[in-house]
Amino acid sequence: MDHMTKPDMDEAARAVLARNDRGGYTVPTDRLYPFQWNWDSAFVAMGFAIFDIDRAYRELERLVEGQWDDGMIPHIVFHAPSDTYFPGPEVWGTRHRIATSGITQPPVFGMALRHVHDAAVAAGRPDAADRTLALFQAALRSHRWWLSARDPHGLGLVSILHPWESGSDNSPAWDEALARVPPTTTTAIRRKDTGHVDPAMRPRDEDYQRFIHLVDVYRDCGWEPARQWAVAPFKIADVQMTGILARSTADLIYLAEALGLEGERAELASMHHALTTGLAGRWRPDLARFVSLDLVSGEDVGAPTQACFMPLVALHVDHTQLQAVEAEIKRWLEGMVVGLPSTAPYSQAFEPKRYWRGPVWAVVNWLLADGLRMNGALELARQIEQSTVSAIERSGFCEYFDPTTGEGLGGDAFSWTAAAYLVLSRRGHGPSAQATRP
Ligand code: GLC
């Protein structure tokens, strides 16, 4: 992509989104991920907001078609059949009116909704308030689900019951907890992912069996949150998930104010207080990062991964914490062609090409840069944004990048990488509007 100028790249990014459009929703990439994915669509909506507000709203509206009656927004909505992906609807066995998976993903939805709303208002769209309101109600129901289903004991931290919920599916953060999950399954496993991309970059077979074991367990609970919570062999109060939820909550507070919804604003403010208090308690000064909590073992999750910095997207940290985080992030960036690696390069778990064990994701950088901006670390935020943009300009809209070489890996023509390019290549040097929040 060396020869491409900025307008060409912009055009190419839009072309990726157009190519992956399946009728109001966008697949992450053809074949490897042929349905609508939850947090992918939230990022994609923010990308669309730059040039097509109607389509940005549509992306979120189509995701909400998959929302369950209890409020959960599933991690996959199977709008149309495809035989290039496993596990498909028959494995999940859920009962919603549209086929969906039975687990969720990081709730970037609230952030995306604010972003789309602001763009719609700035463009003078007469339908902004109505369309935002319907999606705001869906988002609020999903946040209520998060608190009741995934923080029933009021820790101020929400838990994942499956590594795929984290969005960082194969992260070393899950190794210890996943090792306790038996690799036995009642479902016959027919992996499709390793037919699309190099198996050396994908999860190992044994871990894949544990992933499906968890699906079997929760399906046997009829996907009821309380039953799943009671038997879950994998239960981690995750700082990345909680950070994103808290940030989206702040964005919903902003929207409640904009829409004049006082009762909802107060409810969200109390959620926000609970989540930010819970998160603040996960700071470990000796490690210079936040840590998740394994609720099965009662232990801190020690693996140094990108998740440990994600609370910055929601918390205003103090000066000492910020200095420590900046120093730690810079340590991870030393000698890398593109940062931030998803696992610290000094860790034994670091594998620069394997899924979530080292590679760089553009959307993770987008969130981290927002968190750094929100906390006033503009220079480091710029560095991360620019290295992301350059990696995409060099290697294309790949799923992820090898931090040691900048090589593009995984699926290509990836929607959220295109969206990240559209947004991050427009960032200036000042704090962005998007990053100045409660
Ligand atoms: C992988 C990623 C997940 C993403 C999905 C679709 O499963 O780990 O975060 O949502 O691909 O892009």
Side-chain angles (χ1 to χ4, degrees):
M1 297 242 163
D2 290 342
H3 57 286
M4 283 211 178
T5 59
K6 164 91 180 34
D8 286 345
M9 279 298 290
D10 232 73
E11 190 94 333
R14 292 176 199 209
V16 167
L17 296 182
R19 187 200 307 181
N20 292 336
D21 186 350
R22 295 290 180 275
Y25 71 93
T26 311
V27 298
T29 189
D30 193 31
R31 298 185 66 76
L32 180 61
Y33 300 114
F35 308 108
Q36 187 173 21
W37 258 258
N38 181 329
W39 74 325
D40 295 67
S41 275
F43 289 111
V44 161
M46 293 192 266
F48 272 126
I50 288 170
F51 63 98
D52 186 347
I53 288 171
D54 180 61
R55 186 60 185 76
Y57 274 122
R58 240 2 244 140
E59 188 75 29
L60 298 177
E61 288 160 356
R62 296 239 50 194
L63 184 64
V64 164
E65 289 173 18
Q67 183 170 32
W68 288 13
D69 292 341
D70 67 5
M72 184 183 80
I73 303 183
H75 101 294
I76 305 175
V77 184
F78 299 109
H79 290 288
S82 165
D83 59 7
T84 62
Y85 180 81
F86 177 89
E90 63 295 340
V91 175
W92 295 97
T94 59
R95 286 190 296 265
H96 187 65
R97 42 195 179 273
I98 301 181
T100 70
S101 70
I103 58 173
T104 189
Q105 257 193 338
V108 179
F109 191 95
M111 289 179 67
L113 182 56
R114 175 187 175 165
H115 193 106
V116 174
H117 174 81
D118 283 347
V121 169
R125 298 264 320 193
D127 57 348
D130 284 351
R131 286 181 95 170
T132 299
L133 178 61
L135 292 168
F136 170 89
Q137 300 294 9
L140 177 58
R141 290 200 300 117
S142 89
H143 283 221
R144 287 180 186 140
W145 173 87
W146 271 108
L147 274 286
S148 69
R150 297 309 180 82
D151 185 21
H153 303 303
L155 300 177
L157 299 165
V158 290
S159 286
I160 55 168
L161 303 185
H162 194 299
W164 290 347
E165 294 196 307
S166 68
S168 328
D169 306 14
N170 200 38
S171 171
W174 322 131
D175 285 357
E176 273 182 44
L178 201 62
R180 293 190 297 260
V181 174
T184 50
T185 64
T186 51
T187 297
I189 296 183
R190 296 199 175 81
R191 287 186 75 164
K192 301 275 173 85
D193 57 329
T194 43
H196 302 302
V197 291
D198 182 351
M201 298 178 196
R202 300 291 302 182
R204 299 185 166 89
D205 274 341
E206 191 174 319
D207 291 329
Y208 210 87
Q209 285 164 258
R210 298 178 203 277
F211 292 152
I212 298 300
H213 178 95
L214 292 171
V215 173
D216 289 343
V217 169
Y218 304 140
R219 190 188 52 236
D220 290 348
C221 291
W223 299 109
E224 273 180 40
R227 287 177 65 194
Q228 293 179 66
W229 184 269
V231 302
F234 180 97
K235 196 188 293 180
I236 293 184
D238 176 25
V239 290
Q240 173 161 294
M241 195 65 101
T242 307
I244 292 172
L245 183 66
R247 165 54 179 275
S248 274
T249 306
D251 287 336
L252 293 183
I253 292 172
Y254 167 94
L255 289 175
E257 282 165 5
L259 298 166
L261 303 170
E262 177 44 33
E264 287 85 344
R265 193 207 62 78
E267 180 184 352
L268 288 160
S270 109
M271 278 183 199
H272 187 253
H273 178 72
L275 295 168
T276 48
T277 308
L279 266 184
R282 302 309 300 162
W283 170 249
R284 295 292 174 270
D286 49 327
L287 300 174
R289 51 181 200 259
F290 293 84
V291 296
S292 295
L293 174 63
D294 185 329
L295 293 183
V296 175
S297 68
E299 306 276 322
D300 282 358
V301 175
T305 70
Q306 87 293 332
C308 304
F309 305 117
M310 211 50 94
L312 290 185
V313 86
L315 292 182
H316 289 283
V317 298
D318 66 30
H319 185 64
T320 316
Q321 285 173 311
L322 185 61
Q323 279 193 322
V325 162
E326 284 193 87
E328 183 64 11
I329 290 182
K330 285 181 185 156
R331 186 175 164 217
W332 292 31
L333 293 175
E334 266 167 39
M336 296 295 125
V337 171
V338 51
L340 186 81
S342 46
T343 300
Y346 59 72
S347 152
Q348 284 195 341
F350 179 70
E351 292 183 73
K353 289 190 174 12
R354 196 185 290 275
Y355 228 51
W356 293 106
R357 292 179 172 265
V360 177
W361 264 260
V363 293
V364 164
N365 283 358
W366 177 352
L367 293 175
L368 290 174
D370 270 11
L372 288 167
R373 279 174 178 268
M374 193 179 101
N375 280 282
L378 296 188
E379 214 175 293
L380 189 53
R382 278 303 290 160
Q383 190 184 331
I384 290 176
E385 287 163 1
Q386 279 175 340
S387 97
T388 312
V389 167
S390 316
I392 298 171
E393 285 172 350
R394 272 195 314 268
S395 305
F397 302 100
C398 302
E399 185 173 5
Y400 51 87
F401 301 88
D402 178 338
T404 62
T405 62
E407 185 191 351
L409 301 168
D412 64 359
F414 229 81
S415 299
W416 68 9
T417 311
Y421 184 84
L422 290 169
V423 171
L424 297 183
S425 63
R426 285 170 167 73
R427 289 270 167 94
H429 288 271
S432 78
Q434 217 209 334
T436 46
R437 291 307 144 67

